[in-house]
Amino acid sequence: MKEKLNKISFLFLFTFLMVMLAGCQSKTVANQEILEKATESNQITWGVKYDTKLFGSINIEKRKVEGFDIDIAKALTKEILGENAQAEFVEVTSKTRIPLLKNGNIDAIIATMTISEERKKQVDFSDVYFDAGQSLLVKKGSDIKDISDLNKNKTVLAVKGSTSTENIRKHAPEAKVLELENYAEAFTALQSGQGDAFTTDNSILLGMSSENPNYVLTGEKFTDEPYGIAINKGQDKFRETINEAIVKIKENGTYTKIYKKWFNEEPK
């Protein structure tokens, strides 16, 4: 009986040690410096939008994602790791991007993401890489000429997980707000008459208008939306390296070249 108890105790101790060891290994991997991992693999995995014209959208013919954010991510990857480095892309939405970053599925988010104090509680941000502002998209001929026209009889469409909903409720408190999962759903809802206006950053709305000339931006932008690259907390070295790379691509003309490619004008 004593011998049997000793064997059970040994097995219990052995199992406990294996679990502890596995836990320590998992913690080591989770806490690994992203810059160190990227250097070893010679690639950075970026969370990007797949449904945002001009910034990140799928080119069906080429079967790849392209846009301003995509080209900036590629330029930053090469600046950080070298010419032969690879930029890998994972689709994110306003709702999924932070969870995917937190879970380690991606190294950074470059997806029309506005820097906000609320988001800073969850992630760290790079310096601003693009200045946008919230606006309204309406059908041509709409009686909505400005945000002041959004009253209790108007319904505004917005995307879940974005700052747009909070902003529109602040600037047009009487208007009804209908939240959709992504930009494509929100624009489809606008086309089908489920809402009178669609609100998000003017840069995103410009992309939609460029493909759908019957829908136009109306009024002036009513917020400032500085875009930043989101990085997990505790990755200061990676964040600093990204900031240095942003400065370099602006100094060497790469940023201006990419900006003009997508917006047909010099960066302001």
Side-chain angles (χ1 to χ4, degrees):
M1 183 69 177
K2 185 176 181 181
E3 184 179 347
K4 187 176 181 180
L5 287 172
N6 286 337
K7 285 182 179 179
I8 293 173
S9 298
F10 174 77
L11 288 172
F12 176 79
L13 180 61
F14 179 78
T15 303
F16 177 75
L17 289 172
M18 290 300 98
V19 171
M20 290 296 291
L21 180 60
C24 290
Q25 289 174 335
S26 297
K27 188 175 180 181
T28 299
V29 172
N31 290 338
Q32 184 181 17
E33 284 283 348
I34 295 298
L35 184 58
E36 178 185 321
K37 185 188 76 169
T39 302
E40 290 173 0
S41 63
N42 202 38
Q43 73 175 40
I44 297 174
T45 302
W46 303 86
V48 300
K49 294 283 185 65
Y50 274 38
D51 65 346
T52 308
K53 184 70 176 174
L54 300 182
F55 284 84
S57 61
I58 289 291
N59 184 315
I60 297 175
E61 291 181 0
K62 297 179 180 178
R63 295 184 180 180
K64 65 178 184 179
V65 62
E66 59 184 21
F68 178 77
D69 281 350
I70 310 305
D71 285 351
I72 292 295
K74 289 177 180 178
L76 293 176
T77 300
K78 292 185 182 300
E79 192 63 49
I80 293 168
L81 300 177
E83 282 298 316
N84 296 321
Q86 295 296 313
E88 297 293 326
F89 300 108
V90 172
E91 181 182 9
V92 300
T93 65
S94 297
K95 190 176 178 180
T96 65
R97 53 193 174 189
I98 290 180
L100 286 172
L101 181 67
K102 290 292 187 182
N103 291 338
N105 300 93
I106 52 181
D107 299 323
I109 303 167
I110 182 165
T112 62
M113 192 170 182
T114 302
I115 300 170
S116 71
E117 292 305 314
E118 188 63 28
R119 287 174 178 159
K120 284 181 181 179
K121 296 174 184 177
Q122 301 180 72
V123 298
D124 287 335
F125 281 100
S126 71
D127 293 337
V128 177
Y129 75 92
F130 188 90
D131 280 308
Q134 193 168 333
S135 190
L136 300 171
L137 185 72
V138 298
K139 189 173 183 178
K140 269 187 178 179
S142 170
D143 60 353
I144 298 172
K145 306 302 180 186
D146 195 74
I147 193 169
S148 60
D149 294 321
L150 296 178
N151 54 44
K152 63 182 180 180
N153 298 315
K154 303 296 184 183
T155 298
V156 186
L157 305 165
V159 174
K160 292 178 182 178
S162 69
T163 55
S164 302
T165 302
E166 180 183 341
N167 289 337
I168 200 66
R169 283 179 173 146
K170 178 181 177 182
H171 289 83
E174 292 186 356
K176 302 180 188 73
V177 178
L178 176 60
E179 294 182 88
L180 286 303
E181 289 295 330
N182 53 52
Y183 298 121
E185 285 187 17
F187 184 64
T188 299
L190 180 65
Q191 290 175 306
S192 65
Q194 294 180 56
D196 302 289
F198 173 31
T199 187
T200 188
D201 300 346
N202 57 354
S203 50
I204 298 171
L205 297 178
L206 281 169
M208 293 180 178
S209 181
S210 69
E211 287 192 317
N212 305 274
N214 284 330
Y215 292 85
V216 295
L217 275 72
T218 187
E220 299 293 327
K221 69 176 186 177
F222 52 89
T223 67
D224 291 316
E225 305 291 333
Y227 291 168
I229 297 168
I231 301 134
N232 254 327
K233 286 192 173 294
Q235 298 293 336
D236 294 343
K237 188 180 294 186
F238 186 43
R239 180 176 55 81
E240 290 166 6
T241 302
I242 286 177
N243 283 339
E244 291 169 2
I246 290 172
V247 171
K248 287 179 180 178
I249 66 171
K250 286 185 175 181
E251 289 178 346
N252 64 26
T254 301
Y255 182 92
T256 297
K257 183 179 178 181
I258 294 171
Y259 194 99
K260 289 174 71 175
K261 172 185 174 182
W262 292 104
F263 304 110
N264 295 316
E265 63 181 18
E266 294 276 343
K268 296 179 177 62

